[in-house]
Amino acid sequence: MCFMTAKKAWEGFSKGLIEEVQRWGSMKQTGVSLRYMMEFGSRPTTRNLLISAQFLHKELPIRIARRAIELEALPYGLSRKPAVVKVRDWYLDSFRDLRSFPDIKDKSDELEFTQMIKMIKVRHNNVVPMMALGVQQLKKDLGTKIDYKEDLDEIQQFLDRFYMSRIGIRMLIGQHVALHDPNPLPDCIGYIHTKMSPVEVARNASEDARSICLREYCSAPDVNIYGDPNFTFPYVPTHLHLMVFELVKNSLRAVQEKFMDSDKVAPPIRIIVADGLEDVTIKVSDEGGGIPRSGLPKIFTYLYSTAKNPLDEHSDIDLGTVTTMAGYGYGLPISRLYARYFGGDLQIISMEGYGTDAYLHLSRLGDSQEPLP
């Protein structure tokens, strides 16, 4: 284990700030449910926005401090990788901004606070690719001698907690900021669409995935969607879009690569949307040859991708705009976290030699609490 001394590690930050981070990081987090966000946000009065801002003023520093402390104590020297140090500094800067903001007493305080947390959200836009770069730097150092299951389990669990927490922080900030929209879309309460059609979201996500597939391979299998387009339930469309996009993208790539040199027409990807009492389930099925059983445990790790990594340490690309057919191996584990954030889940079942079925379960009760790492 490689732990640096606290003094050396938090270089560039005052002793007072570090002590405050430690103090706030030990406080209890408070989770909220989709239903609560929906009911509370349905009346974005000045008073409610003030209550929301006061809640975030206390809650966000706790969540951010916890992550900053964890970023400082990662095994295998991961905390010292330049990309991870950069992420940690973003968290410390955001913590400092939140803690130096005075108590929120009236509407003008609340509006100023809203602008500040908007900036915090932008500051953290590239956290996922930046952490991926840090893990990549670590993998390069460790070489081929790693046992993914044993050695890196700790990093895997940390990244699950870290990204789950990030989803929560971004949801809370995004929801609060969106409640200020003077012209909200019909049936929308901040990020939440009270009458979201999963079939419609699946269609849009599939079109986006197909356009990327067309760009990379000059052709793309069809995607057939089965389900009632008029069926709706409350959910966050951006979350669902991200998950379905990822699953369809993986299926398109598998089918495209399997049938690229074949005379046969590539079989379509099938999406089935089922409306159950507790769950809405979306199944994405392909005939792309499947995944060997030995590979299945690896598909939810952050340290494994079958594709070439698009992140190059020396590239100056804008990490926020890059979307490739195969990424840094984060699509599936992060999609599963999005599903679990509101009480759902993601399962992958594969038949090697035939194809893969992905089951995306979304809880439709909306009252499961955020899972707080």
Side-chain angles (χ1 to χ4, degrees), residues 18 29 92 122-123 136 194 206 216 218 252 282 319 327:
I18 302 316
Q29 305 172 97
L92 288 174
V122 170
R123 174 186 288 147
Q136 195 182 317
T194 58
S206 301
E216 295 215 357
C218 300
L252 288 168
I282 298 174
L319 294 171

Side-chain angles (χ1 to χ4, degrees), residues 33 41 62 69-70 84 153 235 241 281 308 329:
S33 67
I62 298 175
I69 291 166
E70 275 206 312
V84 177
D153 212 30
Y235 203 71
H241 187 286
T281 302
K308 186 178 161 292

Side-chain angles (χ1 to χ4, degrees), residues 109-364:
D109 290 349
E110 189 275 321
L111 288 172
E112 207 180 317
F113 178 76
T114 301
Q115 284 309 311
M116 183 194 69
I117 59 175
K118 217 189 223 174
M119 294 304 296
I120 286 177
K121 189 163 178 278
V122 170
R123 174 186 288 147
H124 292 250
N125 275 352
N126 283 334
V127 160
V128 176
M130 202 44 96
M131 284 301 290
L133 190 55
V135 170
Q136 195 182 317
Q137 289 164 347
L138 177 72
K139 273 170 76 173
K140 212 180 240 176
D141 289 356
L142 295 177
T144 52
K145 303 177 289 296
I146 18 180
D147 176 337
Y148 284 103
K149 182 71 200 94
E150 295 306 316
D151 291 348
L152 301 181
D153 212 30
E154 205 178 327
I155 289 176
Q156 174 70 21
Q157 286 171 18
F158 157 73
L159 289 168
D160 266 341
R161 288 193 303 274
F162 182 77
Y163 291 130
M164 181 64 95
S165 171
R166 180 175 187 269
I167 290 169
I169 289 168
R170 293 182 82 75
M171 179 70 200
L172 292 182
I173 294 178
Q175 183 67 5
H176 179 83
V177 169
L179 290 176
H180 287 76
D181 186 347
N183 307 304
L185 294 168
D187 303 315
C188 282
I189 297 170
Y191 274 12
I192 302 159
H193 195 313
T194 58
K195 294 179 180 167
M196 183 195 76
S197 159
V199 168
E200 194 185 320
V201 175
R203 188 175 294 127
N204 292 335
S206 301
E207 282 169 12
D208 287 355
R210 281 191 86 242
S211 70
I212 284 177
C213 186
L214 282 164
R215 195 177 71 207
E216 295 215 357
Y217 296 103
C218 300
S219 70
D222 288 336
V223 178
N224 298 336
I225 302 175
Y226 307 91
D228 178 1
N230 297 316
F231 159 64
T232 65
F233 77 115
Y235 203 71
V236 179
T238 48
H239 288 192
L240 182 58
H241 187 286
L242 178 145
M243 294 184 278
V244 175
F245 170 80
E246 188 58 42
L247 295 173
V248 172
K249 188 182 71 156
N250 288 348
S251 287
L252 288 168
R253 178 175 156 232
V255 171
Q256 193 60 38
E257 293 192 349
K258 185 182 177 193
F259 287 86
M260 210 162 359
D261 303 322
S262 161
D263 312 333
K264 295 178 187 158
V265 177
I269 281 124
R270 294 183 304 286
I271 300 178
I272 299 164
V273 178
D275 154 27
L277 286 174
E278 287 181 19
D279 282 354
V280 174
T281 302
I282 298 174
K283 179 167 96 160
V284 179
S285 297
D286 68 58
E287 294 171 41
I291 303 160
R293 210 149 48 96
S294 62
L296 275 174
K298 291 182 188 161
I299 62 174
F300 286 112
T301 76
Y302 298 97
L303 301 129
Y304 166 82
S305 174
T306 52
K308 186 178 161 292
N309 197 313
L311 288 176
D312 173 20
E313 294 181 47
H314 309 294
S315 67
D316 298 320
I317 51 171
D318 173 7
L319 294 171
T321 58
V322 177
T323 310
T324 55
M325 247 346 242
Y328 27 80
Y330 277 35
L332 282 176
I334 284 190
S335 294
R336 184 167 68 173
L337 294 180
Y338 272 98
R340 288 177 173 174
Y341 178 68
F342 284 130
D345 210 353
L346 171 62
Q347 292 169 305
I348 307 285
I349 295 167
S350 188
M351 292 170 73
E352 190 185 3
Y354 180 75
T356 302
D357 289 342
Y359 290 86
L360 183 57
H361 302 282
L362 310 171
S363 169
R364 62 177 303 171

